[in-house]
Amino acid sequence: MSMKTIQITDDLYDYLLSVSLREPEILRELREETSTMPRANMQISPEQGQFMALLIELLGAQKTLEVGVFTGYSALWTALALPPAGRLVACDINPDWTAVAQRYWQRAGVANKIDLRLGPAIQTLEQLIEGGEAGTFDFAFIDAQKEEYEDYYQRSLELLRPGGLIAVDNVLRNGRVIDPSFTDEDTGAIRDFNLARLEDEQVTLSMVPIADGLTLARKR
């Protein structure tokens, strides 16, 4: 037994995947294609994708939001977990990355569930709010520009219904959050974001040490 989260060695990680991962073939293919691309490390891990899909099922989510799509791996997990009438609004700025995503969404038969919005995510979120969609989303996943995390979060929280859930990626920043030698803007933004959530009375909170750290915030 352990009173704190155990360290995951490579062998233990392989075992974890071998006894728990149920990754559909289409997702595995997308993950493997993305692994050959520049900036492949931006893709979430398969066990994180499966975990978020479970959260979506537990919420009974119908309407979801994603800030930062990359090649669409996390969005595909989400769309597959949604019911047939479910909707995912997916925000990104890169047409080349999202072209890969759209190809796999089509192959998986879920493209009709995904509303891809190309452009600055802050503008897209504000358009959704101005369009009367505040308080109507069940789940949001944030994984984009780190220095804008607080802005993404506050707007996503406004769009969420009470009881809805926000998942925020990369909150451990590969361990850099505790290393004072890292003074870059992205790491500083993550530190600030994490400290702000600790005092955030708008939500109930848990930071989960999965992949690069995932903060879960449930709107009160």
Side-chain angles (χ1 to χ4, degrees):
M1 301 296 291
S2 177
M3 296 180 66
K4 64 180 183 179
T5 302
I6 64 172
Q7 292 186 334
I8 302 293
T9 64
D10 288 345
D11 287 343
L12 189 55
Y13 178 69
D14 290 342
Y15 173 77
L16 181 152
L17 296 184
S18 73
V19 298
S20 68
L21 184 62
R22 299 176 177 179
E23 183 184 38
E25 178 66 18
I26 188 70
L27 276 160
R28 183 190 64 78
E29 291 179 18
L30 173 53
R31 179 167 56 86
E32 290 181 353
E33 178 174 338
T34 304
S35 72
T36 69
M37 298 171 58
R39 306 190 72 177
N41 64 326
M42 289 171 54
Q43 182 174 256
I44 68 168
S45 67
E47 73 277 10
Q48 181 179 331
Q50 181 170 285
F51 177 62
M52 293 196 305
L54 175 61
L55 294 176
I56 288 165
E57 291 181 3
L58 288 170
L59 284 166
Q62 301 274 343
K63 190 174 179 182
T64 64
L65 178 67
E66 180 163 308
V67 180
V69 175
F70 191 36
T71 59
Y73 184 76
S74 53
L76 184 50
W77 271 111
T78 296
L80 290 169
L82 287 170
R87 176 190 178 205
L88 165 61
V89 178
C91 308
D92 207 284
I93 59 172
N94 191 303
D96 295 326
W97 291 341
T98 53
V100 177
Q102 289 176 298
R103 175 158 46 87
Y104 278 89
W105 297 342
Q106 288 284 353
R107 286 183 54 198
V110 297
N112 61 308
K113 297 182 184 180
I114 303 174
D115 178 6
L116 177 63
R117 307 283 184 95
L118 287 177
I122 296 296
Q123 292 181 16
T124 299
L125 298 175
E126 289 178 347
Q127 289 167 0
L128 291 169
I129 293 167
E130 292 167 2
E133 297 196 55
T136 66
F137 284 78
D138 303 299
F139 177 82
F141 177 49
I142 297 174
D143 183 17
Q145 297 295 324
K146 309 313 174 193
E147 66 272 17
E148 295 186 356
Y149 261 26
E150 189 66 32
D151 290 333
Y152 297 147
Y153 171 83
Q154 294 297 344
R155 287 164 177 79
S156 296
L157 194 64
E158 187 171 351
L159 287 163
L160 226 61
R161 62 166 173 83
L165 186 69
I166 299 180
V168 185
D169 203 24
N170 302 121
V171 292
L172 295 179
R173 192 75 179 153
N174 201 30
R176 295 177 183 176
V177 287
I178 63 168
D179 187 340
S181 69
F182 286 96
T183 59
D184 59 284
E185 290 185 4
D186 284 354
T187 302
I190 294 295
R191 291 186 185 116
D192 292 343
F193 178 84
N194 290 341
L195 286 173
R197 296 292 72 72
L198 186 61
E199 305 299 330
D200 189 350
E201 296 297 330
Q202 303 172 97
V203 298
T204 52
L205 182 73
S206 181
M207 183 186 287
V208 182
I210 188 171
D212 194 28
L214 187 70
T215 284
L216 302 177
R218 180 182 181 273
K219 185 176 180 177
R220 295 184 187 274

